[in-house]
Amino acid sequence: MTSTSERLLDAAQALAQQRGFNAFSFRDLANRLGITNAGIHYHFPKKADLGRALIARYRRNVAEALTEVDRTAGSATDRLKGFIASYADGLRKERLCLGVMLASETVTLPDEVQSEVRSFFAALEDWLTRVLEDGRTAGEFHFEGAAEDEAALVLSTVEGAMLSAWPLRSVKPVQALARFETVMQRFLNGLAPS
Amino acid sequence: MTSTSERLLDAAQALAQQRGFNAFSFRDLANRLGITNAGIHYHFPKKADLGRALIARYRRNVAEALTEVDRTAGSATDRLKGFIASYADGLRKERLCLGVMLASETVTLPDEVQSEVRSFFAALEDWLTRVLEDGRTAGEFHFEGAAEDEAALVLSTVEGAMLSAWPLRSVKPVQALARFETVMQRFLNGLAPS
DNA sequence: ATCCTTACTTATTGATTGGTAAGTTTGTTG
DNA sequence: CAACAAACTTACCAATCAATAAGTAAGGAT
């Protein structure tokens, strides 16, 4: 049903989120699809092309998911919790956020991929800024200063919480998830005291 | 003066913090020292040995630096700021925290290195827990619940702040540092309102 | 029937990887 | 002076990497 390109991107995303973009080969990818590594080059001539397509699609998918959160969530608090829940989901699937992974690999990535990564984070921050502003005017959130700055803090915290749970995941998956959720709950308490 | 082993670890650490542990080769390392790649194997038979020595020494150095912070800082707030400042220093030197880098590479790392990474983070959290407890009893910090949980939040935030500034660093170094400091300042405001 | 495009495979390339074996230089010790 | 270990070098190795060239099977269009 789904095209080979799409299935390649699915497999590449899984590998990139688990091992990193530089840590999987065309062979790894080809084996998962049951084709030869040369076949990949037909769809993505260079690995940089694959990387660019990968993060571009990821950005679109995340944007879609956040729009869906906007549609279904009743409050700014729910929207923010929906955002955080998607990270927890990744952890459950043994997948690091692709943005986090590529951010750490930044130095070794092709320029075109690097700039896509930056755009991805910028998009997340824009969305978070809107949520935080909405939440503040609604009296749900309490913070001082620009919502942009608070959005940067939210993003930093959720990324950091995921990353610091990541090494724990391989040995104690349940504990890693619990840790992530404890940290985020604590953060939310500061933003929206009950 | 300094032994070759030590200089190897210095160079390896710089490479690992900039590019990642899997993204530098024995050749890269050898070239920086002006020796051949085979010469490295004399000091560190396998790359895993190098990795283990690398993070073990890093952990010792960080522990020493934190003891020095304890010695010189006047208050818990100063100690915490000293901790955060060391991350900002890394950013200035174009170096990601080694723990953060290795955390993201966890899946592809030898087991022995993985467990060292976990111990490193555990040590940081222990130190942070003490600082937070001291600060709370001194009336400097305000938070509810266990200090361990708050320490996990602090660590997550500072790691995440560094990581999210990292992709920005290659294109706008000054802005990356400013972003990091804004995020951490905002975090400190929540912990120790003035 | 022929041509062309799509979607691959087979086979191979040159570069790079971590790692090894064997030799060489240098300084120390008996 | 002889023996020896420390600290390398030279010269490899097999494996793996992304990438390329050339061929091929299948299907649609003319």
Side-chain angles (χ1 to χ4, degrees):
Chain A
M1 281 299 125
T2 51
S3 69
T4 301
S5 296
E6 209 66 24
R7 294 197 303 140
L8 275 171
L9 288 173
D10 289 342
Q13 188 179 321
L15 284 164
Q17 289 184 279
Q18 285 158 10
R19 313 173 54 83
F21 182 73
N22 291 315
F24 74 87
S25 70
F26 275 53
R27 242 207 192 86
D28 293 331
L29 202 48
N31 288 343
R32 295 209 173 187
L33 280 260
I35 63 174
T36 60
N37 61 359
I40 301 173
H41 287 284
Y42 171 77
H43 299 278
F44 304 99
K46 315 267 166 158
K47 201 180 183 186
D49 297 321
L50 174 63
R52 200 162 36 85
L54 199 59
I55 177 118
R57 189 188 69 153
Y58 189 71
R59 197 174 81 177
R60 284 198 307 274
N61 289 349
V62 168
E64 240 175 68
L66 293 182
T67 304
E68 183 63 15
V69 166
D70 286 339
R71 210 180 53 79
T72 58
S75 63
T77 304
D78 283 349
R79 287 159 75 195
L80 188 54
K81 282 183 178 171
F83 174 76
I84 294 166
S86 69
Y87 282 77
D89 265 359
L91 218 44
R92 258 181 232 106
K93 290 176 185 147
E94 310 211 332
R95 289 188 186 204
L96 196 59
C97 164
L98 185 61
V100 171
M101 187 62 93
L102 296 183
S104 73
E105 295 184 286
T106 270
V107 180
T108 61
L109 257 35
D111 286 349
E112 345 155 38
V113 180
Q114 283 188 47
S115 65
E116 281 280 354
V117 173
R118 286 192 296 269
S119 302
F120 169 72
F121 283 127
L124 285 190
E125 278 192 26
D126 285 350
W127 184 84
L128 281 170
T129 299
R130 287 195 296 276
V131 172
L132 288 166
E133 256 165 2
D134 291 351
R136 177 155 64 174
T137 58
E140 295 176 52
F141 301 145
H142 303 286
F143 60 89
E144 289 161 26
E148 286 88 20
D149 291 345
E150 192 72 13
L153 176 59
V154 173
L155 189 59
S156 291
T157 305
V158 72
E159 280 176 36
M162 186 170 207
L163 187 70
S164 70
W166 192 239
L168 217 63
R169 179 215 54 94
S170 57
V171 65
K172 295 175 182 168
V174 179
Q175 199 174 318
L177 189 62
R179 184 205 152 89
F180 173 82
E181 279 172 343
T182 303
V183 167
M184 291 318 298
Q185 188 52 55
R186 213 160 236 272
F187 177 78
L188 284 176
N189 286 345
L191 187 67
S194 52
Chain B
M1 284 299 125
T2 53
S3 70
T4 302
S5 295
E6 210 65 24
R7 293 199 303 140
L8 275 172
L9 288 173
D10 289 342
Q13 187 178 322
L15 284 164
Q17 288 184 281
Q18 285 157 10
R19 313 174 53 84
F21 181 73
N22 291 315
F24 74 86
S25 69
F26 275 51
R27 250 206 186 77
D28 292 332
L29 204 46
N31 288 342
R32 294 208 174 187
L33 280 259
I35 63 174
T36 60
N37 61 357
I40 300 174
H41 288 283
Y42 172 77
H43 300 277
F44 304 99
K46 315 267 166 160
K47 201 181 183 186
D49 298 319
L50 174 64
R52 199 161 37 84
L54 198 61
I55 175 116
R57 189 189 69 152
Y58 188 72
R59 197 174 83 179
R60 285 198 307 275
N61 288 350
V62 169
E64 239 175 70
L66 292 182
T67 304
E68 183 64 16
V69 166
D70 286 339
R71 209 179 56 78
T72 57
S75 64
T77 305
D78 282 349
R79 285 159 75 197
L80 188 54
K81 282 183 178 170
F83 175 76
I84 294 166
S86 70
Y87 282 78
D89 265 359
L91 217 45
R92 257 179 234 109
K93 289 175 188 149
E94 310 212 332
R95 289 186 185 208
L96 195 59
C97 165
L98 185 61
V100 170
M101 187 62 93
L102 296 183
S104 74
E105 293 184 286
T106 269
V107 181
T108 62
L109 257 33
D111 286 350
E112 345 155 36
V113 180
Q114 282 186 49
S115 65
E116 281 281 356
V117 173
R118 286 192 296 269
S119 302
F120 169 72
F121 283 127
L124 284 189
E125 277 192 27
D126 285 349
W127 184 85
L128 280 170
T129 299
R130 287 196 295 276
V131 172
L132 288 166
E133 257 164 2
D134 291 350
R136 177 155 63 173
T137 58
E140 295 176 50
F141 301 146
H142 303 285
F143 60 90
E144 287 161 27
E148 286 88 20
D149 290 346
E150 192 71 14
L153 176 58
V154 173
L155 189 58
S156 292
T157 306
V158 71
E159 279 177 37
M162 187 170 205
L163 187 69
S164 70
W166 192 239
L168 217 62
R169 177 214 54 92
S170 58
V171 63
K172 293 176 184 168
V174 179
Q175 198 174 318
L177 188 62
R179 183 205 153 88
F180 173 81
E181 280 173 343
T182 304
V183 168
M184 291 318 300
Q185 188 52 55
R186 213 162 235 270
F187 177 78
L188 284 175
N189 286 345
L191 187 67
S194 50

